[in-house]
Amino acid sequence: MKDRKTNKLKKEQMISMAFCIEFKLLQMNGTKALYMYGDCSENLEGLFELDLEKLISGETLFDTDIREVVRVIRSCISDTEHQHKANRAFSKIYKHYKETKEYLLEGGYYA
């Protein structure tokens, strides 16, 4: 009985949780961009690197593993097992880059 109550509480918490990520461009090195990222309730303690020019030009193939496209250097606190949050930030940055050919300076992903 206690296990069912615990599982129900966990499900309710997951449903009510919002998904909020913030990111900020830290530095550029040639065509590579280094971003800080984290949950909106955290500091931007995570780091990931992108080279969208290589992806757009075809030098990096579109079927390349996402971990090679979004190279997480340091995961944010809440993204330790997987890099879902870095990938969400990447999706926003990539869309902007495709339209403008410029890296997004800062932004967020909210769901």
Side-chain angles (χ1 to χ4, degrees), residues 16-27:
S16 66
M17 290 173 45
F19 199 74
C20 181
I21 303 162
E22 292 182 338
F23 55 87
K24 184 175 184 177
L25 181 63
L26 185 60
Q27 71 181 41

Side-chain angles (χ1 to χ4, degrees), residues 28-63:
M28 293 290 303
N29 184 8
T31 59
K32 291 182 182 178
L34 182 65
Y35 279 90
M36 302 182 307
Y37 79 105
D39 275 345
C40 293
S41 61
E42 302 169 0
N43 294 322
L44 302 177
E45 74 287 334
L47 290 173
F48 65 87
E49 181 181 73
L50 303 173
D51 193 335
L52 295 179
E53 184 58 36
K54 285 185 178 180
L55 187 63
I56 300 280
S57 72
E59 188 175 335
T60 301
L61 301 175
F62 278 98
D63 62 351

